[in-house]
Structure formats: structure tokens, C-alpha cells
């Protein structure tokens, strides 16, 4: 666990609700990754709070059929951005 905490401290943490949104729609990481056009590894990283590109967040929201105006429900740090 010590390595895990070191890794996390090297990257900015962005808590989000991607896992809850994905699971509530009964999608696996692989399914969501396929629909969004990104890797399952990226899904796991984002769900763990690692930062990602705005374009990745958009792809995820679109794949989950979440309106961009509701982006803060999944990515709270986007509450006041012009995504």
C-alpha cells in the first residue's frame, strides 16, 4: 500500500462518480471503454481519481448518455467550467 500512496501523491486526485454512473447503467469497464473509444485501463484510472483530458471526460459522458449540462453529477470539478 505504501507504493499506492506514493503514486497517488504524484498525481492530482480528482474524485468523481464515474464508477457509480457506469455501474448504475450495468456497464462493465470494457463495455464503457468500447463505447467511449478509450482503453479499460483509462476507465480504471479515472474511476480511481487520476486526472484525464477534458476530451476523455466528454467521451465518457457521451457514452453514458449524460447531457454535458449534467457533467458535474459525474465530474464535480467541472461544475463551473465551460466544458
Amino acid at each position: 500500500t505504501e507504493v499506492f500512496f506514493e503514486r497517488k501523491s504524484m498525481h492530482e486526485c480528482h474524485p468523481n462518480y464515474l464508477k457509480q454512473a457506469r455501474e448504475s447503467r450495468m456497464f462493465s469497464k470494457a463495455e464503457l471503454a468500447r463505447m467511449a473509444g478509450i482503453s479499460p485501463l483509462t476507465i480504471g484510472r479515472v474511476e480511481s481519481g487520476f486526472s484525464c483530458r477534458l476530451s476523455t471526460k466528454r467521451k465518457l459522458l457521451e457514452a453514458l448518455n449524460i447531457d454535458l449540462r449534467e457533467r458535474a453529477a459525474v465530474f464535480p470539478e467541472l461544475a463551473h467550467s465551460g466544458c
Side-chain angles (χ1 to χ4, degrees), residues 27-79:
F27 293 143
S28 68
K29 286 181 187 177
E31 288 171 321
L32 179 56
R34 206 171 314 114
M35 294 178 350
I38 59 178
S39 76
L41 184 59
T42 298
I43 302 286
R45 287 179 179 158
V46 175
E47 287 183 352
S48 294
F50 284 88
S51 62
C52 67
R53 295 180 180 144
L54 187 58
S55 61
T56 300
K57 290 175 183 164
R58 257 183 217 235
K59 289 176 184 179
L60 290 166
L61 292 170
E62 289 172 0
L64 292 166
N65 201 26
I66 296 173
D67 192 291
L68 291 177
R69 291 172 291 198
E70 302 299 321
R71 62 190 175 267
V74 178
F75 298 107
E77 77 274 10
L78 297 179

